Amino acid sequence: MAITNGYCTLAELTAALRITDNVDNTSLENSIEGASRRIDSYCGRYFYQQTKTVKIFARNELQVFLRDDLVSITTLNTDDAGNQTFSTTWTANTDYALEPYNADLLGIPYYRVTAVGGKTFPFFIAPPLPGVRITGVWGYPTVPDDVREACVLLAARGFARYNAALGVVGFGDMALQVRAVDPDVRDYLNGYVKMGIG
């Protein structure tokens, strides 16, 4: 089995667990995938990349705030007529700019598109229609080190749960109950949690 969109590798997990054989590789890979999806859920975002086309509502005539993280744009089209054909193609750095401008330096995704050069985004109120269509790479530029470490810890914990009935780990004359959220994992991930707006 291959790991799909995992935030750590099998080699990183086996090294952390001091495992030298490959008997449990399938269970370890499942633990990595499970841990990676838990991280997605906890943070409200994902750290892998996928190419998709997304229709978006402009916040106003000059800015589009992106709900999802954006790595790059292949094409940006607008629907100036309100008929959902998206027939107007925009040119990067001439018609629009991605923000923040220092995203490459910081290793973070873009979260806003700003119209430049006198262009404006279509803004439909009645009926409310998405006026912007973006085809591009969505997600995170690379998996951050903090996310990778959190994945190793969560995957190790998930793998250990195969031997821990009801979340209770026993050794010798003692037993420990597994807590809901590992505080170290929480500390690694808190800086990446996307805040919702109600």
Side-chain angles (χ1 to χ4, degrees):
M1 174 191 156
I3 299 169
T4 303
N5 299 323
Y7 299 146
C8 71
T9 65
L10 178 62
E12 289 168 334
L13 181 57
T14 55
L17 294 173
R18 314 301 191 267
I19 295 174
T20 57
D21 59 52
N22 59 7
V23 173
D24 294 311
N25 280 5
T26 299
S27 295
L28 290 164
E29 289 171 340
N30 288 338
S31 295
I32 291 170
E33 283 194 18
S36 299
R37 299 300 69 82
R38 282 188 69 191
I39 289 170
D40 294 346
S41 178
Y42 182 81
C43 293
R45 61 175 18 129
Y46 54 91
F47 297 91
Y48 56 90
Q49 295 182 8
Q50 58 179 334
T51 301
K52 296 286 180 187
T53 299
V54 178
K55 294 178 183 178
I56 303 168
F57 291 87
R59 179 178 177 131
N60 54 51
E61 293 180 338
L62 296 176
Q63 293 181 321
V64 173
F65 285 84
L66 304 172
R67 183 184 180 283
D68 298 303
D69 299 323
L70 178 68
V71 177
S72 63
I73 291 179
T74 306
T75 57
L76 187 151
N77 302 90
T78 54
D79 174 24
D80 299 329
N83 59 11
Q84 295 296 281
T85 59
F86 300 94
S87 57
T88 304
T89 302
W90 290 39
T91 303
N93 301 319
T94 301
D95 299 327
Y96 71 89
L98 295 174
E99 296 178 356
Y101 292 114
N102 62 345
D104 289 339
L105 178 66
L106 299 175
I108 62 172
Y110 298 105
Y111 54 80
R112 185 172 50 236
V113 183
T114 299
V116 297
K119 295 281 273 190
T120 58
F121 292 112
F123 190 67
F124 302 108
I125 297 174
L129 295 170
V132 181
R133 184 178 69 192
I134 295 175
T135 300
V137 179
W138 301 86
Y140 232 75
T142 59
V143 177
D145 291 339
D146 291 342
V147 172
R148 180 181 44 77
E149 286 300 312
C151 187
V152 170
L153 290 175
L154 269 177
R157 179 179 173 179
F159 179 70
R161 279 299 303 268
Y162 290 124
N163 296 318
L166 304 174
V168 178
V169 179
F171 54 94
D173 293 334
M174 296 180 63
L176 299 173
Q177 186 169 10
V178 179
R179 292 172 45 155
V181 178
D182 183 317
D184 293 324
V185 170
R186 185 183 59 232
D187 290 345
Y188 276 129
L189 297 178
N190 274 347
Y192 300 95
V193 174
K194 188 175 275 193
M195 305 307 271
I197 298 174

